[in-house]
Amino acid sequence: MNNALINAKLKALYDEYTPAFLSAWSDAFEEAAPCRMNEFGIIDIRCYDPENGVLFIGRETNGWDDKDYADGCLFREWLCDISRNGIQGRGHISKHPNMWYNIGRWALLLQNPEVPIDSLAYLKEEAVDALGTIAFTNINKVRGKNKIGKEYYKLANTDVAKKLIQKEVDILKPKTVVACGTWWPAASLLSDCNCRMIRMNHPGARKSSRAMLQELKAQLG
């Protein structure tokens, strides 16, 4: 299956699950949901290798307001644009880019586990470029709060959130899944997945990039 078709199947999945997911989100966060949920998947269809695909699973994304959803500003295209054109001049993300640098560095190490960690730990432009080689999704597919709390855990424990992760993985068929602070629920939900599971902290955690790369490398054998 080619990358464009994979993303098209994911879009159809999100369209199907939108009413149920928005209802679950509204119950968990106790506020009205926007008109749609976010879209994830293969970040750059030109760069992703489906034969060795890597899926990152995060918790939730902040910063999307109702107008963004109404205007069709969605995560996958947003991150694809960053991977192709860089972080400079992009508001909040340009001031706090470490999460995305770290994900790109992890992607580079997964592509070549023999690369010395010290040669990856401070990469920036190359790390941003590498974002285009991954697939990405969140447990919470709408938006979260500035600090993760009970709302996220309530949503993550719903049947709709769990089923959606499983169906995304069924479509993507990744060879590696990186749980970014999401070992629960990813590990239990994907226990039957024929893929390598990697347990990592949130990529924005207060750890050095070198320490996180070491943790990743230790799991690669």
Side-chain angles (χ1 to χ4, degrees):
M1 190 186 304
N2 68 42
N3 292 337
L5 182 55
I6 291 171
N7 273 351
K9 284 181 173 290
L10 288 169
K11 184 180 187 312
L13 177 71
Y14 299 142
D15 288 344
E16 176 187 353
Y17 270 76
T18 287
F21 199 95
L22 291 182
S23 177
W25 184 90
S26 185
D27 287 345
F29 282 81
E30 299 181 350
E31 62 178 270
C35 59
R36 64 185 300 171
M37 63 184 186
N38 228 323
E39 286 185 8
F40 302 88
I42 293 170
I43 299 305
D44 190 338
I45 60 174
R46 305 179 309 178
C47 303
Y48 185 77
D49 176 9
E51 298 303 315
N52 298 288
V54 178
L55 170 64
F56 283 73
I57 300 179
R59 291 176 178 171
E60 56 189 6
T61 305
N62 298 321
W64 261 263
D65 60 28
D66 290 0
K67 185 176 186 303
D68 290 326
Y69 285 110
D71 291 344
C73 176
L74 302 174
F75 180 92
R76 190 192 65 76
E77 291 184 359
W78 171 81
L79 193 57
C80 181
D81 184 40
I82 286 171
S83 74
R84 292 181 181 182
N85 300 309
I87 284 175
Q88 295 301 318
R90 295 180 182 274
H92 177 79
I93 191 173
S94 67
K95 297 178 182 177
H96 306 281
N98 285 339
M99 171 178 172
W100 306 105
Y101 289 153
N102 282 326
I103 289 176
R105 292 163 186 152
W106 298 353
L108 290 169
L109 184 60
L110 287 165
Q111 292 166 20
N112 186 357
E114 302 306 316
V115 174
I117 285 174
D118 286 341
S119 71
L120 295 175
Y122 303 103
L123 291 182
K124 292 186 176 180
E125 290 184 8
E126 297 92 337
V128 171
D129 290 345
L131 295 173
T133 68
I134 67 171
F136 193 100
T137 193
N138 277 335
I139 302 292
N140 176 0
K141 292 178 171 60
V142 182
R143 57 173 174 254
K145 295 190 172 182
N146 290 334
K147 185 176 181 180
I148 194 167
K150 60 181 176 60
E151 298 89 354
Y152 163 79
Y153 293 104
K154 182 177 179 180
L155 178 63
N157 202 39
T158 61
D159 286 343
V160 65
K162 294 175 180 179
K163 287 179 180 177
L164 199 46
I165 284 290
Q166 291 172 323
K167 288 180 178 292
E168 286 173 295
V169 171
D170 285 344
I171 291 171
L172 283 161
K173 294 179 171 57
K175 297 300 184 290
T176 301
V177 170
V178 183
C180 302
T182 53
W183 190 250
W184 178 90
S188 60
L189 293 176
L190 305 179
S191 58
D192 295 330
C193 175
N194 185 25
C195 62
R196 173 176 56 180
M197 294 287 296
I198 301 290
R199 181 175 187 168
M200 294 295 291
N201 291 310
H202 187 285
R206 293 183 179 180
K207 288 190 172 186
S208 72
S209 59
R210 190 176 188 280
M212 287 193 279
L213 285 164
Q214 287 175 323
E215 290 175 2
L216 174 57
K217 190 160 189 173
Q219 298 180 65
L220 301 182

